Amino acid sequence: MTDDNGTDARTTPIARVHLGTDGPLVGVQGLGCMGMSEFYGGTDEAAARAALDAALDAGVTLFDTADMYGRGANERFLAPFLARHRDEVTIATKFAIDRSADAGSDVEVRHVRNDPAYIRQAVDDSLQRLGVDVIDLYYMHRRDPAVPLADSVGAMAELVQAGKVRHLGLSEVTGAELREAHAVHPIAALQSEWSLFSRDVEHTAVPAAAELGVAFVPYSPLGRGFLTGAFTDAAKELAEGDFRHQQPRFTGDNARANAELLAPVREIAEAHGATPGQVALAWVQQQADVHGLPVVPIPGTRKASRARENAAATRVRLTADELALLEPIAAKVVGARYADMAGTSADRE
């Protein structure tokens, strides 16, 4: 395809932007790697590796993972790719969600851990699995309000001083929590869900990030695939084991109501010769202009063709009229973004 300026979007590398005031220079779109190891059903490993290469060829340089994805499997999966392209790639990973089984049981119980001892062990484990000497961007995946934020971020700052981590990030924190953390050590990026369907971060988190010079890294910018029109009811159309079966927005009456909200997305996509997913990504990307901060969404995919399609969305520019047409969507969405919103920033606003 060609972009709105007539450029061949399949071969031209995407633009770059800094994460935070002093953060790394990365492609203006990243790649979320979670689904390559877990959560969306079985994965063709060869196809997933081809997706990594296609994304890098398109100019994507921020690759996002976490220690809890596949219980470390996703970090190990990325290690060979990082070994080949270490100087070209900004690797981001996360700690905080402990998936260890309770003592004497094989049943997984997830715990949020922000205590300094856990952080120190988690970073060493991630470094080993990734096969790198330093992590470019290290996020606290979820916030445990029982642990003082100054203690957690202080421990993360020690990792920077020790040369194990270059930059710090937070995920799913409120604007007040971001300010508190940033006062302890500069935060390069805030990662939270942000899309045409999910805009609660605009209440306090986005304004705080803009004020502090922190980049925003939206996860699930495609609404976990729903905004692409790839499925309309998770219960009926997705494979067994796909975690989207548990998401209230994507099943039953909620799914049917939310699918109807995609009509203007499809209309705009047709006008641009684009896909609905590209329009959804373009909307997220243009929030950088709306709110005055760097925005680097990290759509996930396991297919090379989709990685190229997603990257091409960075060149789709929506008009003011089109943005206005999309504006009402989020307020009409039925169902929460998680079955249990505990642990999200919205739960603590």
Side-chain angles (χ1 to χ4, degrees), residues 25-109:
L25 185 66
V26 301
V28 76
Q29 183 184 108
L31 178 66
C33 300
M34 179 185 80
M36 295 179 176
S37 296
E38 197 179 12
F39 299 107
Y40 292 105
T43 294
D44 181 327
E45 184 172 318
R49 294 199 179 282
L52 294 174
D53 291 334
L56 184 61
D57 288 345
V60 171
T61 60
L62 177 64
F63 290 78
D64 183 271
T65 183
D67 59 4
M68 68 88 69
Y69 300 161
R71 291 186 173 185
N74 197 241
E75 291 179 325
R76 288 189 290 269
F77 171 80
L78 288 171
F81 174 76
L82 294 175
R84 294 195 308 274
H85 301 290
R86 189 64 189 98
D87 293 340
E88 304 167 74
V89 166
T90 296
I91 184 64
T93 192
K94 314 177 198 72
F95 74 88
I97 302 179
D98 181 3
R99 296 179 61 180
S100 303
D102 281 352
S105 171
D106 293 330
V107 178
E108 177 185 303
V109 179

Side-chain angles (χ1 to χ4, degrees), residues 11-228:
T11 58
T12 305
I14 64 178
R16 295 195 173 196
V17 67
H18 280 282
L19 288 180
T21 304
D22 299 311
L25 185 66
V26 301
V28 76
Q29 183 184 108
L31 178 66
C33 300
M34 179 185 80
M36 295 179 176
S37 296
E38 197 179 12
F39 299 107
Y40 292 105
T43 294
D44 181 327
E45 184 172 318
R49 294 199 179 282
L52 294 174
D53 291 334
L56 184 61
D57 288 345
V60 171
T61 60
L62 177 64
F63 290 78
D64 183 271
T65 183
D67 59 4
M68 68 88 69
Y69 300 161
R71 291 186 173 185
N74 197 241
E75 291 179 325
R76 288 189 290 269
F77 171 80
L78 288 171
F81 174 76
L82 294 175
R84 294 195 308 274
H85 301 290
R86 189 64 189 98
D87 293 340
E88 304 167 74
V89 166
T90 296
I91 184 64
T93 192
K94 314 177 198 72
F95 74 88
I97 302 179
D98 181 3
R99 296 179 61 180
S100 303
D102 281 352
S105 171
D106 293 330
V107 178
E108 177 185 303
V109 179
R110 298 183 186 182
H111 305 280
V112 175
R113 297 279 304 274
N114 289 176
D115 54 285
Y118 181 81
I119 294 170
R120 296 183 189 108
Q121 182 61 54
V123 74
D124 287 341
D125 292 344
S126 285
L127 286 166
Q128 183 178 33
R129 286 189 293 261
L130 291 165
V132 298
D133 296 325
V134 60
I135 293 166
D136 299 311
L137 178 58
Y138 199 43
Y139 288 102
M140 185 169 73
H141 204 164
R142 289 293 186 271
R143 168 92 172 98
D144 178 5
V147 179
L149 195 54
D151 292 353
S152 303
V153 179
M156 296 170 71
E158 291 173 4
L159 304 180
V160 177
Q161 295 165 4
K164 296 181 178 182
V165 170
R166 290 196 172 103
H167 305 281
L168 302 185
L170 300 173
S171 179
E172 288 287 356
V173 298
T174 66
E177 289 167 339
L178 177 59
R179 288 188 179 92
E180 182 181 351
H182 196 74
V184 176
H185 187 279
I187 303 299
L190 169 57
Q191 180 180 141
S192 292
E193 185 168 354
W194 197 9
S195 74
L196 279 169
F197 270 20
S198 300
R199 298 181 60 177
D200 53 86
V201 293
E202 294 174 29
H203 297 310
T204 69
V206 171
E211 173 190 323
L212 298 170
V214 175
F216 208 102
V217 178
Y219 73 78
S220 298
L222 291 170
R224 297 179 176 84
F226 198 84
L227 286 164
T228 69

